[in-house]
């Protein structure tokens, strides 16, 4: 898209989200992660590296702030003064939350990140100027700046590793921002195949790499517009509303502020930083604590 076209249609790219009506007419991609099933094995993270040709920067570059991982597994320990909690550490897979009102979109000076009609927070590499405003404005810190010209200048994919690189994923250059795309290359193929057959993508027809590799089936992904989708049923069962900034789970427990997730109800679904009103497309299912067993 040309700059003139971008400027002429600026209001369309900067419309308010979440939107009402049929903006997500056919597809709204979303995810649900059951933290009670997550074992912190990092299979999702490794699969993300392989699927999206992400370079391994190494310990030294990581220490200099040059981290590069589209998906990370955060680890937390309960602060209850015990040396080793019975239930061990808690794990939280973290990636781009594909926010409906993404803070990164509004600060990009080049319009390189936009919201797509199927609910993705897109990243256009050849338009990105590397200002890093999007990273500064992302509350989840899941955007990464490419400091090196991988793999041309850096030996991050030693032979024969280049043979396993994914030809369907663009090779990013130095000076652009990167992040999780919900494996948009897989979504594009699935949508093209479905369109050629005159139908929509069916439940289970496409999976993200992290979902496919999870040994405990903790990650669900799909089209929320599809009433038969597993992820849509999970969101509905947990009464998590994509367009709400205060969910039933939090509203029903006045003893805790919004953002705290220790309700006495049976609902476990919540979104990270709900109170910031970014309206993420990733719902987490709270881990069942030992006190609740």
């Amino acid at each position: 898209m040309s700059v003139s076209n971008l400027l002429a249609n600026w209001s369309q790219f900067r419309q308010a989200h979440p939107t009402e009506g049929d903006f997500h007419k056919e597809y709204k991609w979303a995810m649900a992660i059951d933290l009670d099933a997550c074992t912190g094995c990092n299979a999702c993270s490794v699969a993300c590296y392989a699927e999206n040709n992400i370079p391994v920067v190494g310990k030294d570059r990581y220490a200099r702030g040059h981290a590069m991982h589209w998906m990370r597994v955060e680890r937390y320990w309960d602060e209850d003064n015990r040396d080793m909690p019975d239930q061990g550490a808690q794990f939280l897979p973290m990636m781009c939350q594909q926010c409906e009102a993404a803070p990164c979109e509004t600060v990009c000076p080049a319009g390189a990140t936009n919201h797509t009609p199927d609910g993705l927070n897109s990243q256009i590499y050849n338009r990105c100027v590397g200002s890093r405003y999007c990273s500064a404005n992302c509350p989840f810190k899941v955007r990464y700046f490419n400091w090196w010209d991988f793999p041309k200048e850096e030996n991050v994919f030693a032979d024969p590793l280049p043979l396993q690189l994914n030809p369907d994923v663009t090779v990013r250059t130095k000076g652009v921002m990167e992040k999780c795309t919900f494996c948009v290359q897989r979504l594009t193929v699935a949508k093209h195949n479905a369109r050629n057959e005159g139908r929509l993508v069916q439940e289970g027809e496409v999976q993200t790499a992290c979902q496919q590799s999870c040994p405990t089936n903790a990650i669900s992904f799909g089209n929320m517009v599809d009433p038969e989708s597993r992820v849509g049923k999970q969101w509905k069962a947990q009464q998590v509303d994509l367009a709400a900034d205060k969910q039933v789970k939090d509203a029903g427990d006045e003893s805790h502020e919004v953002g705290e997730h220790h309700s006495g109800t049976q609902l476990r679904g919540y979104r990270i930083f709900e109170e910031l009103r970014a309206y993420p497309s990733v719902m987490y299912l709270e881990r069942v604590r030992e006190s609740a067993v």
Side-chain angles (χ1 to χ4, degrees), residues 16-19 24 28-30 96-103 105 115 119 121 139-140 224 235 240-247 270-283:
H17 292 281
T19 57
H24 299 309
K28 167 53 194 171
W29 303 112
C96 175
Q97 303 289 294
Q98 309 290 345
C99 304
E100 283 289 285
E105 295 179 0
H115 211 73
N121 178 231
F140 309 99
M224 289 189 65
W235 279 62
V240 176
D241 186 352
L242 180 69
D245 57 10
K246 188 173 183 179
Q247 306 298 337
Y270 71 96
R271 297 187 293 187
I272 305 291
F273 292 152
E274 185 85 80
E275 65 275 21
L276 298 183
R277 304 181 70 186
Y279 307 101
S281 300
V282 179
M283 177 190 73

Side-chain angles (χ1 to χ4, degrees), residues 15 17 19-25 27 100 115-119:
Q15 59 183 296
H17 292 281
T19 57
E20 297 180 352
D22 60 352
F23 182 71
H24 299 309
K25 186 176 182 180
Y27 299 104
E100 283 289 285
H115 211 73
T116 65
D118 54 355

Side-chain angles (χ1 to χ4, degrees), residues 93-114:
M94 175 58 68
M95 78 300 288
C96 175
Q97 303 289 294
Q98 309 290 345
C99 304
E100 283 289 285
C104 57
E105 295 179 0
T106 56
V107 296
C108 179
T113 177
N114 293 291

Side-chain angles (χ1 to χ4, degrees), residues 33 45 56 59-60 98-99 110 119 184-186 193 198 212 222 224 230 240 243 259 291:
I33 301 178
S45 178
V56 178
K59 184 177 180 179
D60 294 338
Q98 309 290 345
C99 304
V184 66
Q185 65 278 4
R186 296 189 179 193
N193 292 339
Q212 189 177 23
M224 289 189 65
R230 181 191 179 197
V240 176
S291 59

Side-chain angles (χ1 to χ4, degrees), residues 6 108-114 122-135 143-146 172-179:
L6 174 68
C108 179
T113 177
N114 293 291
S122 67
Q123 180 69 26
I124 305 174
Y125 298 124
N126 59 3
R127 185 180 294 162
C128 179
V129 296
S131 68
R132 287 177 281 169
Y133 290 164
C134 56
S135 178
R143 286 179 160 269
Y144 303 95
F145 183 73
N146 194 336
R172 286 80 62 186
T173 58
K174 179 181 180 179
V176 301
M177 298 299 299
E178 302 184 12
K179 71 171 192 66

Side-chain angles (χ1 to χ4, degrees), residues 193-233:
N193 292 339
R195 185 172 58 203
N196 290 338
E197 298 173 3
R199 59 177 178 82
L200 298 179
V201 177
Q202 303 298 312
E203 169 66 6
E205 192 173 350
V206 59
Q207 291 183 310
T208 60
C210 56
Q211 176 193 17
Q212 189 177 23
S213 63
C214 181
T216 61
N217 203 25
I219 301 176
S220 301
F221 174 80
N223 179 18
M224 289 189 65
V225 178
D226 182 3
E228 299 302 320
S229 68
R230 181 191 179 197
V231 67
K233 292 179 180 178

